Amino acid sequence: EIMSKLKGSSMKKIVIKKQWVNEHRRLFRCSVCQAPIKGVFENSLVCKQGHAIDFNKHGYLYFLNNGNGTDYDRAMFEARRRMLSAGLFLPMLKQINAELPDQPQTILDVGTGEGTPLFQLETLRNQKDAAIGFDISKAGVQLAAQLPGKLFFCVADLRRLPFADESFDQVMELFSPSDYQEFDRILKPGGQLLKIIPNANYLIELRHLLYDQNDQHAAYDNTPVVERFMQHYQQARIIPLQYQFEIPLGLAEDLVEMSPLHWGRNAKQLDESDLSSLKQVTVDVSLLIGKKI
């Protein structure tokens, strides 16, 4: 009986997701031929040329035309969810929210991972936004699709977005790569790109645990990223944001697991004593805001 209830609730969830996509079909375009979307028919999103993308059993759409993957696995995304649910990114999302208009927006979250930042932003906003998160990782999007609320998630490629021209008011990006040409294409005139990048002291405590001071990974300089952003958005604003985050008991390992910092060739394997010394971390970031003219 419990299994049939779970199956029933997941079926209901997929019906709701399909309705949402059908209502917001103008935000999408065909990932095969770029034609506009005709609508949702049975279990598929169908374009005006007849190409069909099927809804996954978890209620998301898979828009990749090839098997591109990612280094992030489910364990990493689960660790990220625990850390973000504990509030690691919350001040960033409050700052982003302060930059958004009060009226409902169409919002795209680039490299959404397991979806927590978009979920937290929408909880802060309490608006009837049309919010979509995408990631190249199936493991991340599968977790994101479990989140409550009227959010939609899909697997897609940053370089070839399955979204219509001039369809989004806001594009949000936390620690993800950018494709400014694609962002310009999908943003409405006057729309904004809100991009969070690390500053020199981001997670400095973890960096110092993992690397010797002379190692290239021991320091970080975001100058090239900022310069490229400023070239593209000449009127861009930069808002620095720094705070200390107390790591909840037992979550230090999750912080290590969720960060690519420990992938470096010379990264030290942290033991129990290293992890227990990690009681708080510095969050040092910049919010870059560019407006499409």
Side-chain angles (χ1 to χ4, degrees), residues 1-14:
E1 192 187 337
I2 291 169
M3 287 308 287
S4 67
K5 268 187 185 172
L6 283 172
K7 198 173 177 187
S9 72
S10 107
M11 289 297 290
K12 190 180 171 196
K13 201 171 181 182
I14 291 170

Side-chain angles (χ1 to χ4, degrees), residues 58-110:
H58 301 281
Y60 65 80
L61 288 164
Y62 185 90
F63 286 111
L64 296 186
N65 297 324
N66 50 33
N68 273 348
T70 169
D71 293 326
Y72 294 139
D73 61 8
R74 189 179 173 97
M76 176 267 163
F77 285 116
E78 286 172 342
R80 182 182 191 257
R81 175 163 289 175
R82 287 188 290 270
M83 282 304 302
L84 269 51
S85 298
L88 181 63
F89 287 3
L90 210 48
M92 300 179 211
L93 295 160
K94 286 178 177 170
Q95 187 66 57
I96 287 171
N97 185 34
E99 298 297 328
L100 302 184
D102 282 342
Q103 59 267 38
Q105 301 287 291
T106 46
I107 299 174
L108 181 67
D109 182 22
V110 175

Side-chain angles (χ1 to χ4, degrees), residues 20-254:
W20 191 96
V21 170
N22 198 42
E23 281 167 27
H24 297 92
R25 59 187 175 276
R26 286 179 190 82
L27 295 177
F28 297 87
R29 74 175 192 182
C30 180
S31 56
V32 179
C33 69
Q34 284 74 62
I37 298 299
K38 192 173 169 187
V40 173
F41 300 91
E42 292 184 10
N43 196 43
S44 306
L45 182 68
V46 181
C47 85
K48 293 192 173 175
Q49 298 296 324
H51 296 117
I53 309 283
D54 293 344
F55 279 83
N56 177 283
K57 65 179 180 184
H58 301 281
Y60 65 80
L61 288 164
Y62 185 90
F63 286 111
L64 296 186
N65 297 324
N66 50 33
N68 273 348
T70 169
D71 293 326
Y72 294 139
D73 61 8
R74 189 179 173 97
M76 176 267 163
F77 285 116
E78 286 172 342
R80 182 182 191 257
R81 175 163 289 175
R82 287 188 290 270
M83 282 304 302
L84 269 51
S85 298
L88 181 63
F89 287 3
L90 210 48
M92 300 179 211
L93 295 160
K94 286 178 177 170
Q95 187 66 57
I96 287 171
N97 185 34
E99 298 297 328
L100 302 184
D102 282 342
Q103 59 267 38
Q105 301 287 291
T106 46
I107 299 174
L108 181 67
D109 182 22
V110 175
T112 196
E114 42 63 61
T116 301
L118 187 60
F119 173 70
Q120 288 178 333
L121 179 72
E122 284 302 293
T123 306
L124 288 168
R125 280 183 61 68
N126 199 22
Q127 290 286 338
K128 289 185 177 171
D129 295 326
I132 298 176
F134 81 88
D135 202 285
I136 202 165
S137 165
K138 226 160 99 174
V141 172
Q142 207 162 308
L143 275 172
Q146 296 170 7
L147 289 165
K150 290 201 168 178
L151 303 170
F152 186 75
F153 294 98
C154 54
V155 177
D157 184 358
L158 170 68
R159 313 283 169 212
R160 198 183 166 90
L161 295 174
F163 306 114
D165 295 356
E166 300 191 348
S167 51
F168 287 91
D169 299 303
Q170 312 289 338
V171 171
M172 169 175 99
E173 189 191 62
L174 275 65
F175 308 106
S176 287
S178 293
D179 187 320
Y180 296 128
Q181 273 180 307
E182 274 292 79
F183 296 164
D184 280 350
R185 180 182 69 75
I186 64 164
L187 273 170
K188 296 177 185 176
Q192 292 187 123
L193 170 61
L194 302 111
K195 179 178 173 70
I196 293 270
I197 61 167
N199 292 340
N201 287 326
Y202 183 66
L203 304 186
I204 193 81
E205 299 83 356
L206 177 58
R207 208 181 279 277
H208 286 172
L209 269 182
L210 288 166
Y211 297 101
D212 292 333
Q213 275 183 315
N214 303 327
D215 193 277
Q216 60 175 20
H217 294 96
Y220 174 73
D221 179 11
N222 66 16
T223 312
V225 181
V226 174
E227 282 175 355
R228 193 156 165 256
F229 193 92
M230 299 303 281
Q231 279 165 8
H232 204 87
Y233 300 100
Q234 269 121 33
Q235 307 299 315
R237 288 184 295 132
I238 302 178
I239 300 173
L241 188 62
Q242 191 176 72
Y243 54 95
Q244 293 298 118
F245 180 75
E246 300 282 335
I247 301 168
L249 207 60
L251 289 194
E253 198 170 347
D254 284 336

